Amino acid sequence: STQWIKAIARADVPDEDVIAVQAGGREIALYGVDGEVYATSNLCTHGNARLCDGFLEGHEIECPLHQGRFDVRDGRALCSPLRENVATYPVRIEDGMVFVAL
Ligand code: FES
């Protein structure tokens, strides 16, 4: 069953950038894009790298290790060497806090 986990204050999600949080025992990357907040797993599906250390451009996060790119809206792997999409999580904003559905 889906659980909404309180992750971080909305004000702490950077604009046009990424921040990592721990929520429900998982490492989640939160992205601020055009006033929206998106959440994915923080771990690249290709290797041992954290997406929070990558480079966000528009809706695309580039992995710091081999420059694979994911769409943060749906987790889609956009280029090689990625083969697997990354998990995404629904986001809700309430009372100035970001909640993530795990
Ligand atoms: Fe992310 Fe290789 S570890 S692209």
Side-chain angles (χ1 to χ4, degrees), residues 26-31 38-46 51 61 70-77 84-91 100-102:
R26 288 182 227 194
E27 245 190 89
I28 311 282
L30 295 176
Y31 310 87
Y38 302 93
T40 72
S41 166
N42 193 27
L43 303 177
C44 185
T45 58
H46 177 251
L51 297 179
I61 183 70
F70 298 99
D71 189 316
V72 303
R73 293 170 291 190
D74 56 10
R76 204 155 43 94
E84 263 181 73
N85 298 344
V86 70
T88 59
Y89 304 100
V91 169
V100 179
L102 300 181

Side-chain angles (χ1 to χ4, degrees), residues 44 46-47 49 63 65-66 68 81-82:
C44 185
H46 177 251
C63 176
L65 203 50
H66 311 109
L82 302 175

Side-chain angles (χ1 to χ4, degrees), residues 49-62:
R50 290 186 158 74
L51 297 179
C52 67
D53 297 325
F55 175 66
L56 183 67
E57 186 169 20
H59 291 100
E60 297 181 10
I61 183 70
E62 183 182 80

